[in-house]
Every structure is written in C-alpha cells, then in structure tokens.
Amino acid sequence: MSEPYARHPGGEVEATEVRLLEGPNLYFTRPAVKVSLRLPGLLGMDDAALAGRARALNLSAAACGTAGSEARQRFLLRLVERVLRRLARAGGVTRLGVRARPGGSADEVVVAYPWNDRGRAAALARALEDLLARCLGADLSEEDFRRAGDAVRAVPASERFALPKPGVPVVAITGTNGKTTTTRLVAHIGMTAGLRTGWSSTDGVLVQGELVESGDYSGPAGARAVLDADGVQLAVLETARGGMLFKGLGVPLNDVSIVTNVSADHLGVQGIGTLDELAEVKAIITRVTTPQGWVVLNGDDPRVWAMRSAAGGRPWCFSLNPDSPALREALQEHGRGITVMDGDLVVLRPGAGVERLVSVLDVPITMGGLSGHNTANALAATAGALGLGLSTEAVVEGLRTFVPDPGHNPGRMNTYTVPLPSGGEASVVLDMAHNEAGLDALLTVADGLRPPGSLVLLGLGTGGDRTDEILVSMGEMAGLRADRVHVVHKEHYLRGRTMAELESFLREGLTRVGVVPLSSSETELAGLRTILATARDGDVVTMMCHSHRAQLHDWLVSRGGRVDTVTDVRRKVVAARGEHELEAAIDRLWQDPDAGSRIEAAGRMLAGRPGDARLLFEAAGTYDSAGEEAHAVGLYDEALRAGLREPHRHRALLQKASSLRHLGRGEEALEVLDVAAADRPDSPAVACFRALVLHDLGRDPEAARELLETVVRHSTDADVENYRGALTRFFQEWDVPLRTSPATG
C-alpha cells in the first residue's frame, strides 16, 4: 500500500509517500511502514531557530549543522526519529523500533517503523508529518504530542496483520544476474527428488512445470501464490529487488537463501543509488533464513560474501576458484563450500575430504564448461538443494537433466542452429541479457561457440531504466567484443525514454571504441532478421531479447532453425577451439608410423561420419603422406566442398598445392596458392610454396624475386629493418616480370 501526501502548502514539510511493506524489508525483518519525507523548510531553517527546536526535544543544539549542509541532513535524521518515538509513546506505543536514513537528495529523509494495524500505521505517518510541519513555526510542546497521540488513538483498531509462516521448505533466491536460472534449476532438482514443487519467477507461477499464473511474479504475490497452491511440498521463490523495496518479502522466513551476485542494475530507483545500497536490499532474504538453514553466498563477489555477517543461517560459499579465501572462511566458520576442482563440482565440509559430485562436462547448463556464469549458477543451485536435505543422487540427476533450452530455461542462453539463404549455417543465441554483467556473459558464450575465422554479430539493446553511464558502458563493451553490432530496441521496455535517446547513449559507447552500428531496428524480430541477413556460415548471432523471446523462437523454427541439443553445443564448443570431437583419435592416428595403418584408421573414422569435412581432410593427409598424391587431391577437394573450416582450410589449400606440384600440375598448384594468398596475403608459407612451384616451372628469377619481396616486407629482423629500403630498391631493379597475385600485391 502506498499513500501519497501533499498536504502542506509550499511543500516546506511534506510526506511524499507512505508505503506499507507487508513482509521483511530493508528496514526490519517484519512488516514495516516506510515514510518518505521532504524537509526543505527544516534543512534551510535559521541555525539559531533550529537549535531551539533541538533543545525542546532534548537533542544537542550543537549537532544541528549549518543550513543546507550534509551535517544538517544527518541531524534531521535524529530529529525525525526523536519526534516519531515521542509521538508513538503519546499514542500508546511504549516501544517502537525506528530506522531513519537519508533520501535521494539533501532535503529528503526516509523513516521506517514496524506495524501490524494498517489504519493506525497510516495515522502515525500523518501525525508525524503534522508535527514536523509545526516545527517550522515553534518548538514542539508536550501538548502538541498529546493531541497528535490522541488523533492516532482515535483511529479504530483493525485486524492485526501478520504474514503466515510457510508450512513447507522455502528457498529464496535473489541477485542481479542468474536468479531466474538458479530458481528453475533448484525447482527442477526438487521435482527430480520427487517433491511436488512450486516456484515463482519473472515468467509467472508454476507448479510441477505447469504455468499457473503468467507474468512477473518475482515479488511477494508470487510467493503467496506458490504457498497457496494445492499440494506443494517445496517452494522456490525468485525474489527481485523491486518486490522487496515496494512490498517487502512475501514470506516471514526461509530455510535456504541464495544470493547469486550484485552488479549495477536499476540504480537510481526507490532511493537505491549505489552498489552497496543495492547489496543491502539483496541481503534482506539472508536475514530471515532460519538458524538451522543455509545462506548460500557467492564467494567471488565481496559484497555478497559480506552478507554472512548479518545472516540468519549458516554460511555456504560457492566459488569458481577452489583456492578462494571465501571458501576457507566458510569452513572456518563451520559452514560449507562448493567449487570446481579438477573439472568436477565438489562439496567441501570442515574436517572432511573433498566430496565429488559430477563433472562440469556432464552438467548441460555449463555448456561444456564454457559458460562461467552458469557454472556459478549450478554451484549455487546445488548448494541450495543439498542445504534443503535433498539426496546427492537426486541433485546430481537434476544437474544432468536440466538443459539450457527453451523448455527448461527459456530466454537464458538458448542456442539454435539456423540455415542461411547464402548456404551454410549460423548459430543463434537468445538471452535476456539486460545489463553489463549479462552482456559480458553473453559475449563470452558467443566467443566460445564461434569457430576460427567466424564472426560474432550482436543485437544490442536493453531497458530504458538503466543509467546513462551503464548504457554508454554497454555500448563500449559491445564495440570491443563483438565483430558487428546492430542496435535492437525493446519497445515495451523504454521506461520513460525514447528510442532515439536510448540509442544515442549506446552509440556514444560504440563511438568511443571506433565502432558504428550497422543498423537500428525498432523490434527484436526486425533486428534478428536484419542480422541474420548479414551472417555467413559459422557466424554466431547473439540477441539480447526480452518480451519477444517466444516470437523469435517461433520465427527461427519456422525458417528451419533447430534448438541445439547438449551434443550440438558440445560439438560447437569443441569446433570453436579448432578441434574435433574425435581429436584424440586423430592424434593417435598420426602417432602411428605405418602409412597403411594410418589410411585404414582414417577410413574407419570417415565411414562412421561420411561427409565430415575435418575427417576428409585428415584422410587426404594420410594418402598424401603415403605418396598417393592423386587420391589425396580428390579428398582435399571433397573436404573443401564440405565446408572445411579454419585453421584446417588453409592447411588443406597448401597441402593440395604441394600434392599438385608433386604430380607435375604446377599451373593448377599456383591457382590454389592464389586462393590461399587471398585469405592470408602475408603468409611466408604461401610464398615458399609458390617459389618451389615457380622453380619447377623453370621460372627461377620470378621465384627468387617473390620470395625476396616477402622476406623484405614482413621480416622483423633488425638488419632487414635497417636495409629495407635498399633491399626493396635492389630487387625492384631486376628485369624480371613480377606476376601480380594476392601473395605479392
């Protein structure tokens, strides 16, 4: 409940908002009233006059500060608190908890106090405003407080309010990034363990995976809906900043709380202007964890790890670094830790050995270990599930079966393979990245999915409720890490900005790093169409998508796109490293000294994967090394036609040219080398192979001149540096026709 006030003409004292927080909140671990006050009259009051008001309230007159100063604002906090306590006593409340803090500007003060009677809570706020207004004209007297207290007493008592305690285990999850994914994963593990599980998130309220209510239910309404659902045995609650600030928590306590991280997002809203203040909000869920419960905190985020000092439960640290000091501190404080060690998720307990759970490679959400932020989410969810008392077997099975696809985790790193009109396929990643940390995670995944020689194409866009600085910073990050950037607007998330204004800040960031966006689209679907039209085979298209995720999914599927399986993602990750899924077998093949055995082994691999470009290339190499160049040339051609990627494509061109040379087909070899030189005009290897072919064709002077020119142009030797001009002039004086080619320019 929020009640605006503007009752005093001139606004010298004004209660701009009275908000009834119905659950644990930033100020108390129980329902509270938050009163936002503007006090320009008291901030600017004559020093002597305010000193008199202070003495009447038994406050130190020396602490008043000068008019308009920060010291004056701090004094007003004490003054408001003193007036409120005396008012409460006059109204019959013998003890009242009061919290006061500065507001967003020098003349703003926020004061909060617990409540259980709605009408009297609001009446107390009105009476406080009246008393502060009286301070402008005179000292407050006992009679003033008596009359104000009587006014509060006169309000009829209403039914006492209290949040009911949940009857099932509750997990509360918050953080700037990763909370939705972690919520879904904990819920999936709960269902895997056989519990009827309900959860609330930005998607809505779900029970056993079935949508009960659609919409953003990451606040107290979602918590209540989950707990009221029939037969629920486990409640998993995504708990967003907004709900905690505007309404408070929807439950009075939890058995496990999880905080994923704190980064710049939604700053400047409801008086939260800094990361430290945002962390204070996120910490609310940790303060109501039961003493027997677990507080799961990110040990790699200092602000999050510091929350344990005021937390209600025992600390359970998760960290990607097995040597993290936070892990040691958790164990020293009789808590637990979870991390990645030797490629496995492991649990650490005081005085016990390492408990290995599962390989990172067998946890699909980590995308083969590529996605560091999702690895952290998996650690957090695992700790949360184990903290509930779920069996290790159920937790491991849940980790193995939770896939980052539109079914399990819609809008979070969903990857697709999409055919291109120009031929070949592109990867598309849809993710609800909405801030700097989310964009960083998205670009990291994209970079880990692109094969050598391919590009990352980014659809850049976010909500309008980010600060100007954050928007500029996101533009810089995009320009530095993506190969091409397209601005893609979210028409439902402008949040008071225009598209032009929002885009201007993104462009400012891009311009700072010398990048100009290739296009600007008013909708996500239009942006995706535009970006895919520029994509080439192997490119990775990344889209920061929000409300239109389902529309983008449907469109991709309608044009032949398919959702990547766990196997598809692993294959792409391996390919991006320039490797093959059978890399180990290929290595063993080339360790065999027998040429015939190598040919047979390559043939067996190729029979299992006919048309595989890399295996065709390796098979060609086995024939080449056995002196069967004619057979090798045919296989090199097949590999190139099958879309052989770098770095093996370049190697195939060189090896094919070398084979053609051995077959006496010099002119054909030169043509192949010209293709290789077009891709790598500075390659000394191409120049060397060309020189050999030219020599075979009886064109030694031309071979020498091309080779010399390559050395002189590209050598970093100190002597060549000193004599580069003279050497260039000398070979240019040769009366030798220089064949113009991509290699020689």
Side-chain angles (χ1 to χ4, degrees):
M1 169 184 172
S2 175
E3 298 185 9
Y5 290 86
R7 302 171 55 235
H8 292 277
E12 292 299 299
V13 169
E14 181 182 4
T16 57
E17 181 186 49
V18 176
R19 182 170 293 278
L20 300 186
L21 305 170
E22 297 180 347
N25 51 77
L26 185 59
Y27 311 97
F28 296 94
T29 57
R30 53 171 292 189
V33 181
K34 171 194 170 189
V35 183
S36 299
L37 297 160
R38 285 193 67 252
L39 307 173
L42 293 172
L43 183 73
M45 181 180 282
D46 175 78
D47 295 355
L50 187 61
R53 310 294 190 272
R55 284 189 289 270
L57 293 168
N58 293 322
L59 290 171
S60 170
C64 292
T66 57
S69 67
E70 292 182 356
R72 171 66 62 86
Q73 184 191 38
R74 294 307 188 272
F75 173 76
L76 292 182
L77 297 179
R78 296 174 57 201
L79 183 146
V80 170
E81 182 177 346
R82 179 64 57 87
V83 171
L84 179 57
R85 289 187 188 279
R86 289 187 58 176
L87 169 61
R89 285 197 298 272
V93 180
T94 56
R95 295 181 63 185
L96 181 71
V98 178
R99 303 283 188 273
R101 58 194 293 159
S105 62
D107 65 353
E108 291 180 348
V109 169
V110 176
V111 64
Y113 51 90
W115 71 278
N116 52 36
D117 184 297
R118 189 180 301 271
R120 288 185 173 176
L124 193 63
R126 288 193 292 270
L128 173 65
E129 182 190 25
D130 285 335
L131 287 172
L132 293 172
R134 289 179 184 275
C135 269
L136 295 173
D139 298 344
L140 291 179
S141 66
E142 289 297 332
E143 180 63 19
D144 291 328
F145 282 107
R146 186 190 63 75
R147 283 197 301 266
D150 288 345
V152 174
R153 288 174 185 268
V155 175
S158 57
E159 183 179 354
R160 295 176 69 85
F161 176 85
L163 279 178
K165 291 185 178 180
V168 299
V170 172
V171 182
I173 301 166
T174 194
T176 304
N177 295 89
K179 56 184 177 291
T180 300
T181 294
T182 305
T183 297
R184 291 168 176 166
L185 181 50
V186 173
H188 177 79
I189 294 172
M191 291 187 291
T192 303
L195 298 177
R196 182 172 175 80
T197 302
W199 69 95
S200 58
S201 72
T202 50
D203 294 325
V205 177
L206 299 94
V207 176
Q208 290 298 99
E210 296 294 325
L211 188 64
V212 176
E213 297 284 349
S214 179
D216 186 346
Y217 277 87
S218 58
R224 289 192 292 269
V226 169
L227 293 170
D228 290 342
D230 291 338
V232 166
Q233 297 171 296
L234 171 63
V236 185
L237 311 176
E238 179 179 341
T239 310
R241 165 208 56 85
M244 289 188 276
L245 285 173
F246 286 102
K247 295 288 286 183
L249 296 183
V251 289
L253 54 84
N254 58 64
D255 300 277
V256 173
S257 55
I258 300 174
V259 185
T260 59
N261 48 60
V262 176
S263 62
D265 197 27
H266 298 293
L267 297 180
V269 179
Q270 278 288 299
I272 304 302
T274 68
L275 279 176
D276 290 330
E277 290 171 340
L278 183 59
E280 196 177 2
V281 177
K282 303 290 186 184
I284 294 171
I285 66 168
T286 69
R287 302 207 311 267
V288 295
T289 304
T290 62
Q292 301 77 29
W294 290 97
V295 178
V296 180
L297 300 173
N298 185 347
D300 298 331
D301 186 324
R303 289 185 176 87
V304 174
W305 184 233
M307 294 177 189
R308 74 191 189 283
S309 61
R314 297 168 289 175
W316 194 321
C317 172
F318 69 93
S319 172
L320 293 172
N321 176 16
D323 296 320
S324 167
L327 287 171
R328 295 195 297 272
E329 291 168 354
L331 300 183
Q332 290 166 1
E333 296 169 15
H334 308 289
R336 294 181 186 173
I338 186 167
T339 185
V340 177
M341 192 176 292
D342 300 322
D344 294 335
L345 271 62
V346 301
V347 173
L348 308 175
R349 305 171 193 266
V354 172
E355 179 186 353
R356 296 187 181 275
L357 300 178
V358 62
S359 168
V360 169
L361 296 177
D362 293 327
V363 181
I365 196 174
T366 70
M367 304 183 79
L370 173 66
S371 177
H373 74 286
N374 269 338
T375 302
N377 292 338
L379 291 172
T382 301
L386 292 172
L388 285 169
L390 302 185
S391 71
T392 300
E393 294 75 17
V395 172
V396 170
E397 181 62 19
L399 291 171
R400 290 181 185 274
T401 54
F402 186 83
V403 181
D405 61 18
H408 288 87
N409 203 25
R412 269 70 179 182
M413 295 298 173
N414 301 153
T415 63
Y416 301 75
T417 298
V418 182
L420 299 173
S422 57
E425 296 175 328
S427 294
V428 175
V429 185
L430 303 183
D431 187 78
M432 293 182 72
H434 56 280
N435 53 28
E436 293 166 283
L439 177 57
D440 176 68
L442 175 59
L443 290 171
T444 296
V445 168
D447 195 53
L449 290 175
R450 66 164 161 184
S454 298
L455 305 179
V456 171
L457 316 180
L458 172 65
L460 172 66
T462 188
D465 56 348
R466 273 65 188 172
T467 65
D468 299 348
E469 292 77 10
I470 289 176
L471 293 174
V472 172
S473 178
M474 291 177 72
E476 285 188 45
M477 183 185 298
L480 288 170
R481 298 188 56 188
D483 297 295
R484 296 177 188 161
V485 180
H486 303 250
V487 175
V488 178
H489 289 289
K490 290 84 176 67
E491 66 270 33
H492 299 307
Y493 290 87
L494 294 175
R495 307 276 169 78
R497 293 186 188 264
T498 65
M499 288 186 183
E501 178 191 9
L502 197 153
E503 184 172 330
S504 69
F505 289 109
L506 295 175
R507 284 180 174 268
E508 180 181 338
L510 289 165
T511 303
R512 287 184 181 181
V513 293
V515 174
V516 176
L518 298 186
S519 69
S520 174
S521 302
E522 293 190 358
T523 67
E524 293 176 351
L525 182 56
L528 180 58
R529 285 173 168 163
T530 300
I531 297 171
L532 271 175
T534 70
R536 305 177 307 170
D537 181 41
D539 286 349
V540 180
V541 174
T542 53
M543 283 290 297
M544 301 171 69
C545 65
H546 291 69
S547 59
H548 291 169
R549 178 201 57 78
Q551 183 185 34
L552 300 187
H553 167 84
D554 292 343
W555 184 78
L556 288 170
V557 172
S558 72
R559 67 189 307 274
R562 64 181 186 277
V563 177
D564 285 343
T565 64
V566 175
T567 301
D568 292 331
V569 172
R570 183 176 294 187
R571 174 179 53 79
K572 288 182 178 182
V573 171
V574 171
R577 298 172 184 159
E579 301 174 357
H580 191 276
E581 294 163 275
L582 299 179
E583 198 71 34
I586 293 171
D587 288 342
R588 288 193 299 272
L589 177 152
W590 287 107
Q591 292 170 9
D592 189 336
D594 184 83
S597 296
R598 291 198 298 270
I599 290 174
E600 290 178 8
R604 286 193 298 271
M605 285 192 288
L606 192 55
R609 294 173 180 243
D612 186 300
R614 172 69 186 284
L615 296 182
L616 284 166
F617 166 71
E618 299 296 344
T622 61
Y623 282 101
D624 210 344
S625 65
E628 299 185 34
E629 287 88 355
H631 199 149
V633 168
L635 288 171
Y636 285 132
D637 284 337
E638 285 189 55
L640 292 166
R641 285 195 297 270
L644 185 65
R645 299 188 187 279
E646 299 296 356
H648 301 98
R649 178 181 180 275
H650 184 69
R651 290 171 54 189
L653 291 171
L654 294 181
Q655 290 171 210
K656 177 186 174 184
S658 179
S659 295
L660 289 170
R661 170 179 172 257
H662 283 290
L663 292 171
R665 296 157 61 180
E667 293 296 339
E668 293 178 60
L670 288 177
E671 292 176 3
V672 174
L673 290 170
D674 284 347
V675 173
D679 293 334
R680 301 190 187 183
D682 298 335
S683 169
V686 172
C688 289
F689 276 108
R690 278 185 57 84
L692 290 170
V693 175
L694 290 170
H695 167 71
D696 292 343
L697 295 174
R699 296 156 60 180
D700 285 344
E702 189 176 344
R705 175 167 176 168
E706 287 192 16
L707 201 55
L708 279 172
E709 183 177 29
T710 300
V711 171
V712 171
R713 281 172 124 188
H714 305 298
S715 175
T716 58
D717 178 76
D719 286 341
V720 173
E721 289 280 356
N722 288 332
Y723 301 110
R724 193 183 306 278
L727 290 170
T728 301
R729 187 170 65 254
F730 292 158
F731 70 68
Q732 286 178 343
E733 290 173 355
W734 289 5
D735 188 18
V736 177
L738 178 62
R739 171 175 171 167
T740 301
S741 73
T744 62

